[in-house]
Amino acid sequence: MALSLTYDFEQKQDVLLVRLTGELDHHEAEQLKNDWQSYLQNGMTKHVVVNLENLYFMDSSGLGVFLGRYKEVKEIGGEMVICSINYDVQRLFELSGLFKIIDAVENEAAALARLGVAL
Amino acid sequence: MSNFMKVEFAAKSENESFARTTVAAFIAQLDPTVEELTEIKTVVSEAVTNAIIHGYEENEKGTVLIECELKDDNISLTIRDFGNGIEDVDEAIQPMYTSKPELERSGMGFTIMENFMDHFEIESIPNHGTTVTLRKKFLNNQSAYN
């Protein structure tokens, strides 16, 4: 059965870059959470950039995953920045108030620059 | 125009995407906007996820029943489970409320349903199940009927 969500992680200095592709729902949330947590615990990560450019669908299960990782990033003294968010996902972020705690910028380069990564 | 469909499936998380995709395919005949289609997919996903996580506590022997009725520009959706039911519906629909914080739930499911639809109603009987009824009028396709 085809996976409805794929993702990759890339380490850029102390920033973990997460790129999500596809659909993020309850079915996909647990695996993403586990994989993401293992990167947060690798000792190299302080900040996180999440690229949502290719996330075509998300429901409140996704909000739970982002909120959970936001708390973990805060615990290690870092920041979480979202980039390339599309209109549909943006609506859910607005509705849930997540933009009050997580900054959104236009693209990956802007997000990395915000967190002090030299490109 | 009027049309109707009914689908019942196992309460497995793999079926969350099946459920929203199926409803989206059925309502495509109303020629919804991309935004309306996303709203419907999202609320179906929320209600089915609730049935699986809360109604059945991930016991995959349960089933979820979706009925969808189209009448002119109006869609009526009911999503029903035969599981635990909700003791206190008023508490459950509060934004950010979750009965399962350990599962990293955002508590936004009912808030999203209320926001994305015109009408939202829950009927729940403890130990018998929960029925969520959602209605919406599509606005974009007036020209097809005028």
Side-chain angles (χ1 to χ4, degrees):
Chain A
M1 191 173 155
L3 286 173
S4 65
L5 180 76
T6 58
Y7 42 89
D8 69 83
F9 298 94
E10 189 181 338
Q11 195 81 36
K12 295 212 178 241
Q13 298 167 27
D14 62 354
V15 176
L16 175 68
L17 180 56
V18 187
R19 298 187 186 94
L20 303 176
T21 299
E23 307 197 350
L24 173 51
D25 62 8
H26 159 244
H27 179 65
E28 304 290 347
E30 184 73 15
Q31 188 64 47
L32 171 62
K33 171 192 164 183
N34 292 339
D35 291 343
W36 194 339
Q37 276 179 328
S38 69
Y39 277 91
L40 288 177
Q41 291 157 2
N42 68 9
M44 301 191 297
T45 304
K46 187 175 182 193
H47 306 294
V48 170
V49 170
V50 192
N51 185 337
L52 299 175
E53 185 177 4
N54 296 313
L55 188 68
Y56 306 117
F57 175 84
M58 187 180 94
D59 64 17
S60 72
S61 299
L63 294 173
V65 174
F66 291 130
L67 195 57
R69 303 296 74 68
Y70 167 80
K71 289 176 183 163
E72 289 165 358
V73 169
K74 279 282 151 188
E75 272 168 30
I76 53 176
E79 296 290 331
M80 187 162 166
V81 179
I82 300 281
C83 73
S84 311
I85 192 167
N86 65 47
Y87 174 75
D88 294 328
V89 177
Q90 183 171 329
R91 278 182 82 194
L92 287 192
F93 268 70
E94 276 164 3
L95 202 54
S96 64
L98 267 185
F99 281 137
K100 288 178 191 148
I101 54 173
I102 301 175
D103 280 345
V105 299
E106 200 178 335
N107 53 39
E108 250 178 43
L112 291 167
R114 168 81 60 102
L115 297 170
V117 176
L119 295 173
Chain B
M1 75 85 100
S2 73
N3 203 347
F4 173 79
M5 75 93 166
K6 181 157 103 173
V7 58
E8 187 168 11
F9 51 89
K12 295 162 81 88
S13 65
E14 292 92 316
N15 286 336
E16 290 156 5
S17 62
F18 163 76
R20 62 178 180 264
T21 309
T22 301
V23 173
F26 182 68
I27 64 166
Q29 57 197 291
L30 286 186
D31 196 21
T33 61
V34 172
E35 181 171 339
E36 287 166 335
L37 210 50
T38 300
E39 288 169 339
I40 298 295
K41 282 168 76 174
T42 308
V43 300
V44 170
S45 205
E46 298 298 343
V48 170
T49 300
N50 277 348
I52 291 170
I53 295 180
H54 301 287
Y56 295 116
E57 300 194 312
E58 317 222 19
N59 177 349
E60 298 182 346
K61 288 188 183 125
T63 63
V64 181
L65 179 69
I66 297 181
E67 290 170 80
C68 182
E69 197 173 350
L70 308 179
K71 194 159 187 351
D72 300 330
D73 305 329
N74 297 286
I75 171 172
S76 173
L77 263 171
T78 62
I79 294 125
R80 189 185 309 255
D81 70 66
F82 311 93
N84 294 333
I86 302 166
E87 293 281 350
D88 186 342
V89 170
D90 289 338
E91 180 184 52
I93 64 174
Q94 292 304 308
M96 318 300 267
Y97 172 81
T98 177
S99 59
K100 294 192 187 298
E102 74 281 6
L103 289 186
E104 207 163 74
R105 308 302 310 160
S106 65
M108 291 300 293
F110 285 131
T111 305
I112 289 167
M113 291 183 228
E114 270 184 307
N115 266 273
F116 282 9
M117 302 297 283
D118 299 333
H119 175 86
F120 157 81
E121 200 178 297
I122 309 177
E123 262 185 83
S124 192
I125 304 171
N127 302 316
H128 283 78
T130 300
T131 301
V132 177
T133 304
L134 300 159
R135 287 193 207 104
K136 190 177 180 73
K137 183 179 174 65
F138 285 171
L139 301 173
N140 70 305
N141 54 355
Q142 299 295 323
S143 59
Y145 301 98
N146 287 349

